[in-house]
Amino acid sequence: MHQNSHSVVIIGYGGMGSYHAKLIKDNERVKVVGTYDIDSVRAEASTQDGYRAYPSLEAVLEDKTVESIVIATPNDSHKEIAVRAFASGKNVICEKPVTMNVSEFEEMTAAAEQAGKVLMVHQNRRWDEDFLIIKQMYDQKSIGDLFRIESRVHGANGIPGDWRHMEVHGGGMLLDWGVHLLDQALFMIDSKITSVSSRLSFILGDEVDDGFEATIQFENGISYLIEVGTTNFITLPRWYVKGTEGTGIIEDWSMTGRTVTRNREVEHVEPKPIQAGVGLTKTMAPPSEEATITGVLPEPFRQPSSFYDNFADVLDGKAEPIVKNDQVLRVLNLIEAIFEGGRTGETIRDFDQY
Amino acid sequence: MHQNSHSVVIIGYGGMGSYHAKLIKDNERVKVVGTYDIDSVRAEASTQDGYRAYPSLEAVLEDKTVESIVIATPNDSHKEIAVRAFASGKNVICEKPVTMNVSEFEEMTAAAEQAGKVLMVHQNRRWDEDFLIIKQMYDQKSIGDLFRIESRVHGANGIPGDWRHMEVHGGGMLLDWGVHLLDQALFMIDSKITSVSSRLSFILGDEVDDGFEATIQFENGISYLIEVGTTNFITLPRWYVKGTEGTGIIEDWSMTGRTVTRNREVEHVEPKPIQAGVGLTKTMAPPSEEATITGVLPEPFRQPSSFYDNFADVLDGKAEPIVKNDQVLRVLNLIEAIFEGGRTGETIRDFDQY
């Protein structure tokens, strides 16, 4: 198979579209042969970046030399573009959230199946090193069995001032960042969700959520908190995880972090009470220096290939997609449960498509 | 009024009982005249500390020179001791949690009222400096209106190996630390609770909870998270609070902390995307250096008097109790809702005795 054998056209050449172009530039088997954007300024940018700017979506879809498209447009337009692309015999890589809801996605996958074409959703944060370190801790039990996982992303900039703060375009933090963090959770934990409780935040006065928290309870006993905030001028750690032998933390994307575990070599000594505020506490006294071991974070889990290598392998019939459509569907279904729980304030059960 | 005019006997001379003796030693108006403990070792300790060891509870209650008692025994014995003390004409200071449930406390307050005696519960963490700093931030809106308060206490020692891990004695973290943190919340936020959702943790295999989390939603819009953990080898900050103008943090009882607020002097500049993991993010990019102001924590709110000065004032008819029994009742009622929510997994509503 020769190099750059797989041609793609990027639909929507904004922030994410041009980021895809950069990603694909590093890949030897996939090549960007053009873009299409409704905004003439972005079409001009594409030409300057060396990518042919198609005059219309029709022109892309009618071009028989184009094997696949990347959809990087606002969320409410994904489905229609994808369905038309499949009908024209194209494969589709679609930005996340793939659709606004489950039923749109079912329409999309049905169209892909009917056309016998590939649909892969760009859940790229399955490749984030911070996540892959936690996945390794989970898989290898390096601090014992994890029973509590807290995954937070905090910013202080509010919602970006584009379509991302409009409901009709599928804006809001649950669909934007939530879909990543939920996808990571379900990719890591192979167990059915028994319940989810959630709270959406509308502090900034936007029509969409400016943050949310969701506590997912899995059948295997794991409690998994996901929290996204855009009004956090001080950030809490990106990851905080508790295992039966200790605790792990990753502060941020710089991978600063550590583990602290029980020292099994030392006999348990009941801690001495400490003064805490105006009271005494034995329970909350820090363990003695010898009672714990501070360790470094493990090496991250390694995905078998990059997103675009995997895409090329799938087109070549050499691999299954790492991001599977039934997994994407399950995440969308969970998002609907989180929206419902946020609206009603109730714990949602018996919904998981595991 | 002469010094040390108010005599007390401490019932239960364990860790907390002897701590009360130290507290009272610093007070000019209250004096410990003796103790009673069922354990002869502790009676001996009392004598060595210079406090007469009464041979029985009856002996204390029959002693007409004793004005008040401090109850510092296991939680399941508080009610009976208090009711007998009121019947003998004593005032009562009682350790927290005052009783195991609402109905026991109603029995206790009815007995106090019938006897015309004072009952004050030792909710001493209303005097904790960390709490009083947050209360000041809440009252004075120093980082804008607070809309989210997170109050955490993390330890790694499990539950102390005494009666505190036995259900029959009222053990477990919700009754032990929870009662403090919930009391602080309801003392600070003057608003009705619309709902609470909770999760109790039983990681250590004890018959009582080794930690819990509760999210309290107040009618005035504030969401208040309370979390207690005893399997946390790394601790999250004691306080994390979000206001409409910024965020505040207190790391621990050493009062390390800061505020970060929006700089209103600087025009808003849309942040530039940063690389985070394998993706880009504009939303989660840190605000520019000039866009925020890092500040120090405010001076704490000052309670009008110490717990024991207030007790003496109440006995002298010169003040209302700072810890009021209807507040204590409300907290106990909230604890029952948290137990129920933990058991059922449901959000609990329409229970608050506000």
Side-chain angles (χ1 to χ4, degrees), chain B residues 217-248:
Chain B
Q217 192 64 45
F218 288 95
E219 204 166 58
N220 67 3
I222 292 173
S223 161
Y224 199 125
L225 169 74
I226 291 178
E227 191 199 325
V228 174
T230 57
T231 55
N232 302 64
F233 289 79
I234 299 171
T235 59
L236 288 177
R238 173 69 186 87
W239 293 95
Y240 179 81
V241 296
K242 290 170 68 176
T244 45
E245 294 299 316
T247 306

Side-chain angles (χ1 to χ4, degrees), chain A residues 1-41:
Chain A
M1 176 200 52
H2 48 83
Q3 287 205 336
N4 296 332
S5 54
H6 297 295
S7 61
V8 308
V9 168
I10 297 171
I11 310 300
Y13 197 66
M16 276 314 298
S18 52
Y19 188 63
H20 275 279
K22 289 194 191 76
L23 291 175
I24 296 171
K25 218 168 202 165
D26 294 335
N27 190 286
E28 296 189 341
R29 299 160 66 192
V30 185
K31 185 184 169 74
V32 175
V33 297
T35 75
Y36 166 63
D37 199 295
I38 51 170
D39 181 351
S40 61
V41 174

Side-chain angles (χ1 to χ4, degrees), chain A residues 89-147:
Chain A
K90 313 296 186 202
N91 304 293
V92 171
I93 289 172
C94 188
E95 257 308 319
K96 41 56 56 180
V98 61
T99 55
M100 313 270 280
N101 52 52
V102 166
S103 81
E104 275 195 346
F105 185 62
E106 286 172 338
E107 227 181 296
M108 198 190 270
T109 50
E113 261 170 54
Q114 205 186 342
K117 290 293 157 184
V118 170
L119 166 63
M120 266 175 66
V121 182
H122 190 236
Q123 292 296 161
N124 57 326
R125 294 200 177 277
R126 290 194 193 180
W127 280 262
D128 276 2
E129 190 173 339
D130 56 283
F131 163 67
L132 295 171
I133 289 170
I134 300 297
K135 176 167 163 53
Q136 196 75 327
M137 291 172 75
Y138 178 76
D139 290 345
Q140 301 200 332
K141 304 182 193 297
S142 52
I143 59 168
D145 283 300
L146 294 192
F147 57 86

Side-chain angles (χ1 to χ4, degrees), chain A residues 155-161 165 173 204 206 210 229-233, chain B residues 262 268 270-271 282-285:
Chain A
N157 300 315
I159 305 174
H165 69 128
M173 282 299 120
L204 299 171
D206 289 286
D210 49 46
T230 57
T231 55
N232 301 62
F233 289 80
Chain B
R262 198 190 307 279
H268 176 73
E270 192 85 342
K282 192 160 69 172
T283 318
M284 301 304 165

Side-chain angles (χ1 to χ4, degrees), chain A residues 19 124-125 128 148 152 157 213 231-234 240 242 247 275-276 278 283 285 344-347 349, chain B residues 19 124-125 128 148 152-153 157 213 231-234 240 242 247 275-276 278 285 344-347 349:
Chain A
Y19 188 63
N124 57 326
R125 294 200 177 277
D128 276 2
R148 172 71 170 178
R152 290 183 177 83
N157 300 315
E213 57 183 71
T231 55
N232 301 62
F233 289 80
I234 299 171
Y240 179 82
K242 291 169 68 175
T247 305
Q275 184 81 31
V278 298
T283 318
T344 62
E346 301 302 329
T347 303
R349 300 170 197 281
Chain B
Y19 188 62
N124 58 326
R125 295 200 177 277
D128 276 2
R148 172 71 170 177
R152 289 183 178 83
V153 173
N157 300 314
E213 57 183 73
T231 55
N232 302 64
F233 289 79
I234 299 171
Y240 179 81
K242 290 170 68 176
T247 306
Q275 184 82 32
V278 297
T344 62
E346 301 301 330
T347 302
R349 301 170 198 281

Side-chain angles (χ1 to χ4, degrees), chain A residues 150-263:
Chain A
E150 302 184 4
S151 169
R152 290 183 177 83
V153 174
H154 282 173
N157 300 315
I159 305 174
D162 53 14
W163 60 265
R164 286 179 176 79
H165 69 128
M166 295 163 77
E167 189 170 9
V168 65
H169 292 306
M173 282 299 120
L174 177 51
L175 283 172
D176 185 353
W177 266 95
V179 70
H180 280 306
L181 306 186
L182 293 164
D183 179 70
Q184 290 179 339
L186 300 198
F187 183 62
M188 176 158 52
I189 314 292
D190 185 14
S191 178
K192 185 171 182 166
I193 299 170
T194 54
S195 71
V196 65
S197 54
S198 54
R199 201 174 62 85
L200 272 67
S201 139
F202 294 88
I203 291 301
L204 299 171
D206 289 286
E207 59 187 26
V208 295
D209 70 286
D210 49 46
F212 73 96
E213 57 183 71
T215 301
I216 304 166
Q217 191 63 46
F218 288 94
E219 205 166 58
N220 66 3
I222 292 173
S223 162
Y224 198 124
L225 170 74
I226 291 178
E227 191 199 325
V228 174
T230 57
T231 55
N232 301 62
F233 289 80
I234 299 171
T235 59
L236 288 178
R238 172 71 186 87
W239 293 95
Y240 179 82
V241 296
K242 291 169 68 175
T244 45
E245 293 299 315
T247 305
I249 201 166
I250 301 180
E251 297 289 349
D252 50 36
W253 284 295
S254 75
M255 304 305 138
T256 311
R258 68 190 189 285
T259 62
V260 178
T261 51
R262 199 190 307 279
N263 186 354

